[in-house]
């Protein structure tokens, strides 16, 4: 595990604990890498509620409430699906915040519904129903690098999101 990412996870741990907030994850292409990074820090059980690895569309739909129409209209690798995954994870785990990742890490996995979806496109969403932030990673550096990059971007997005939202709530 990258030492820099472990430090970021520690920072998240401290902020979440201090603010008395909870966190969950919904990971598709990263298959639990983000959850593993978060829980590598002692004390994460004080705020981390759980994570769902949801590779298949039916799991996203049944467990997270991602709409069939959302997937049909936007593709499973889309901002809309990532947003619904965050909202669904917060409901499923009864958490204050969630992080969702959906994408095509490669080397295969084309989308017959939406030909604009390409290998290396990965959507990340952080937040809750009231305030969500999203980001698209769109570069193919091979499967392992794509997954490592998505995990690193997600943990940094989470850190920045929590620094913005938990600080204000903790001080209030």
């Amino acid at each position: 595990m990258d030492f820099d990412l472990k430090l970021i996870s520690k920072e998240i741990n401290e902020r979440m604990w201090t603010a008395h907030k909870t966190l969950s994850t919904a990971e598709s292409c990263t298959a639990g890498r983000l959850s593993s990074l978060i829980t590598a820090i002692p004390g994460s059980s004080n705020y981390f509620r759980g994570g769902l690895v949801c590779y298949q569309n039916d799991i996203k739909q049944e467990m997270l409430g991602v709409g069939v129409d959302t997937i049909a209209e936007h593709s499973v690798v889309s901002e809309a699906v990532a947003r619904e995954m965050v909202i669904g994870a917060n409901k499923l785990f009864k958490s204050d915040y969630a992080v969702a990742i959906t994408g095509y890490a490669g080397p295969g996995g084309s989308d017959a519904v939406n030909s604009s979806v390409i290998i290396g496109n990965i959507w990340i969403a952080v937040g809750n129903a009231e305030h969500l932030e999203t980001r698209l990673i769109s570069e193919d550096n091979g499967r392992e690098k794509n997954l490592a990059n998505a995990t690193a971007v997600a943990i940094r997005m989470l850190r920045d999101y929590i620094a913005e939202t938990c600080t204000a709530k903790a001080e209030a």
Side-chain angles (χ1 to χ4, degrees):
M1 179 181 312
D2 187 306
F3 183 70
D4 178 52
L5 298 182
K6 200 167 183 180
L7 288 175
I8 292 170
S9 187
K10 184 175 187 223
E11 183 180 339
I12 290 166
N13 183 314
E14 292 167 1
R15 287 187 185 273
M16 293 294 288
W17 200 352
T18 301
H20 305 287
K21 297 295 181 184
T22 57
L23 175 68
S24 63
T25 60
E27 299 180 70
S28 186
C29 63
T30 51
R33 287 178 183 222
L34 181 61
S35 296
S36 179
L37 180 58
I38 290 166
T39 59
I41 304 301
S44 59
S45 60
N46 291 311
Y47 68 90
F48 187 71
R49 301 274 302 157
L52 177 68
V53 174
C54 46
Y55 251 50
Q56 300 297 314
N57 291 350
D58 62 327
I59 301 301
K60 290 176 183 77
Q61 294 161 359
E62 294 168 18
M63 301 291 294
L64 298 175
V66 173
V68 174
D69 293 340
T70 304
I71 293 172
E73 182 178 340
H74 298 282
S75 168
V76 72
V77 177
S78 65
E79 181 179 22
V81 167
R83 287 176 167 275
E84 288 186 14
M85 287 172 66
V86 162
I87 293 166
N90 280 321
K91 287 180 185 174
L92 178 66
F93 292 104
K94 298 176 178 68
S95 58
D96 297 304
Y97 305 113
V99 181
I101 305 172
T102 183
Y104 290 125
S110 63
D111 186 337
V113 174
N114 186 345
S115 61
S116 67
V117 174
I118 58 171
I119 303 304
N121 278 5
I122 300 172
W123 276 100
I124 302 168
V126 177
N128 56 37
E130 290 79 40
H131 179 237
L132 265 162
E133 295 180 6
T134 61
R135 180 165 173 197
L136 171 65
I137 299 171
S138 187
E139 56 186 57
D140 184 12
N141 296 306
R143 183 175 183 80
E144 282 306 310
K145 287 183 181 177
N146 292 346
L147 295 173
N149 187 37
T151 304
V153 168
I155 197 83
R156 287 182 174 99
M157 280 179 68
L158 177 60
R159 177 202 50 204
D160 296 346
Y161 181 91
I162 288 171
E164 178 185 314
T165 61
C166 281
T167 302
K169 293 183 190 299
E171 293 172 355

